């Protein structure tokens, strides 16, 4: 699949061609750096390096007006007027699951292309997706038309599946956060789900969501007693992942509404995140409302 908009295609191609380099560049960058990212999380050396690599390349694309990253406090003005109709904003989580570097487990890169200045609602996305650094490097791309999965080799995309949709019969679930920190209503929902589905949880949003996209089911990182606003970032994780799952025929929710309809206040806003098959998200909202 070639994305119809040439600017969006340039963004997707830049990320896909950078993926092999990012994966190889993880070697020797498993340590942490001093300080934290704007969300207060410890940064790995690889977080900073991947952000600089992607930021430089995406900011150089004609038609991209803004670049923003989970690893940077501020939006980068790329030169085009971000309010102009031809200028897109790109938000990236350069290395999702970087805490898995220590144990050498799954990680990924998440991106969203917004037809609006950041921070923006998810329903202004024109494309979103992720790269999964698993045993095979794969890329999922969602547009308003379809969701497709590719294998990446040497920066080139090879189609694996077109028109990806969530299987109708859910199989897997994964929930983040410490169980004692879950609100009582979410614990009630989780107890029901764990009697019906198989647990799959790897500590990286990308890997867990990809399990849901492959087998059907639900992933959630709920509001916590200690963090009612949630843990994941709306612009960099919630909106792009919500867009992918909704375009694949599923639903997203912050517990009360689609992630794509949430009005952001700040670039680094956090959100509870739930995605999966319609019925499972309907049940979630009925339980925690």
């Amino acid at each position: 699949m070639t994305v119809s908009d040439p600017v969006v295609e340039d963004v997707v191609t830049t990320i896909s061609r950078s993926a092999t380099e990012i994966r190889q560049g993880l070697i020797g960058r498993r340590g942490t750096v001093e300080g934290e990212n704007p969300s207060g999380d410890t940064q790995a050396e690889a977080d900073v390096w991947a952000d600089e690599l992607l930021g430089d390349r995406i900011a150089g694309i004609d038609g991209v007006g803004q670049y923003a990253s989970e690893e940077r406090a501020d939006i980068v003005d790329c030169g085009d007027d971000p309010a102009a109709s031809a200028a897109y904003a790109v938000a990236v989580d350069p290395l999702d699951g970087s805490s898995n570097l220590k144990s050498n487990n799954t990680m990924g890169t998440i991106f969203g292309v917004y037809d609006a200045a950041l921070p923006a609602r998810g329903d202004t996305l024109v494309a979103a997706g992720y790269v999964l650094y698993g045993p095979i490097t794969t890329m999922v791309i969602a547009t308003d038309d379809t969701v497709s999965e590719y294998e990446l080799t040497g920066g080139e995309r090879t189609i694996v599946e077109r028109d990806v949709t969530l299987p109708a019969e859910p199989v897997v679930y994964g929930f983040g956060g410490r169980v004692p920190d879950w609100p009582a209503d979410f614990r009630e929902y989780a107890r029901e789900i764990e009697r019906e589905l198989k647990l799959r949880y790897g500590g990286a949003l990308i890997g867990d969501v990809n399990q849901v996209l492959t087998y059907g089911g639900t992933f959630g990182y709920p509001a916590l007693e200690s963090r009612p606003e949630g843990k994941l970032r709306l612009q960099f994780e919630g909106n792009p992942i919500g867009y992918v799952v909704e375009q694949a025929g599923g639903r997203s929710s912050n517990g009360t509404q689609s992630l794509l309809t949430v009005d952001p206040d700040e670039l680094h806003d956090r959100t509870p995140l739930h995605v999966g098959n319609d019925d499972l998200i309907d049940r979630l909202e009925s339980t925690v409302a």
Side-chain angles (χ1 to χ4, degrees):
M1 177 190 74
T2 300
V3 180
S4 58
D5 187 295
V7 178
V8 178
E9 173 61 26
D10 283 350
V11 172
V12 170
T13 298
T14 297
I15 294 171
S16 65
R17 289 180 176 171
S18 300
T20 300
E21 189 173 345
I22 290 173
R23 180 165 191 149
Q24 291 299 317
L26 299 177
I27 299 170
R29 292 187 171 93
R30 298 170 71 178
T32 58
V33 297
E34 291 186 9
E36 300 173 329
N37 70 12
S39 299
D41 299 329
T42 300
Q43 289 179 300
E45 295 173 53
D47 283 318
V48 177
W49 175 77
D51 172 46
E52 291 175 351
L53 184 149
L54 288 172
D56 288 346
R57 294 178 180 178
I58 292 172
I61 297 172
D62 288 340
V64 172
Q66 293 180 319
Y67 172 83
S69 162
E70 184 178 312
E71 306 305 329
R72 304 183 186 213
D74 301 315
I75 297 165
V76 176
D77 183 352
C78 303
D80 289 334
D81 178 3
S85 60
Y88 292 109
V90 180
V92 173
D93 181 352
L95 199 57
D96 173 69
S98 58
S99 61
N100 277 350
L101 274 166
K102 184 175 182 179
S103 58
N104 192 30
N105 281 319
T106 301
M107 289 164 288
T109 296
I110 306 172
F111 67 92
V113 183
Y114 293 84
D115 190 12
L118 298 172
R121 282 168 51 122
D123 53 16
T124 65
L125 284 163
V126 295
Y130 58 84
V131 177
L132 176 65
Y133 306 114
I136 300 168
T137 303
T138 58
M139 186 176 201
V140 171
I141 304 169
T143 67
D144 288 344
D145 298 323
T146 190
V147 180
S148 299
E149 181 184 12
Y150 301 84
E151 291 179 353
L152 300 185
T153 306
E156 299 303 315
R157 306 198 302 262
T158 302
I159 190 71
V160 175
E161 184 178 358
R162 300 182 190 276
D163 301 322
V164 175
T165 58
L166 265 72
E169 296 297 326
V171 175
V172 301
Y173 80 95
F175 298 136
R178 296 178 62 250
V179 175
D181 208 10
W182 289 350
D185 51 6
F186 183 77
R187 287 201 300 270
E188 176 187 343
Y189 170 75
R191 295 291 83 81
E192 293 178 5
I193 297 301
E194 69 183 7
R195 288 193 291 267
E196 303 171 17
L197 305 179
K198 297 178 182 179
L199 175 62
R200 293 289 186 273
Y201 184 76
L205 173 64
I206 288 303
D208 298 324
V209 168
N210 199 65
Q211 292 267 15
V212 171
L213 201 62
T214 303
Y215 299 112
T218 186
F219 171 80
Y221 207 114
L224 303 175
E225 295 286 359
S226 62
R227 185 177 278 174
E229 73 279 12
K231 177 180 183 291
L232 302 174
R233 270 62 50 154
L234 181 65
Q235 298 294 292
F236 309 107
E237 297 163 315
N239 283 341
I241 292 302
Y243 181 84
V244 170
V245 173
E246 292 198 15
Q247 293 305 107
R251 282 198 61 203
S252 74
S253 178
N254 67 354
T256 60
Q257 67 189 90
S258 166
L259 291 168
L260 306 186
T261 64
V262 176
D263 291 311
D265 295 317
E266 304 289 342
L267 180 65
H268 292 277
D269 279 356
R270 295 180 185 268
T271 183
L273 182 150
H274 304 274
V275 293
N277 289 76
D278 287 7
D279 176 65
L280 297 176
I281 303 302
D282 289 343
R283 288 166 58 186
L284 164 82
E285 290 183 342
S286 296
T287 303
V288 305

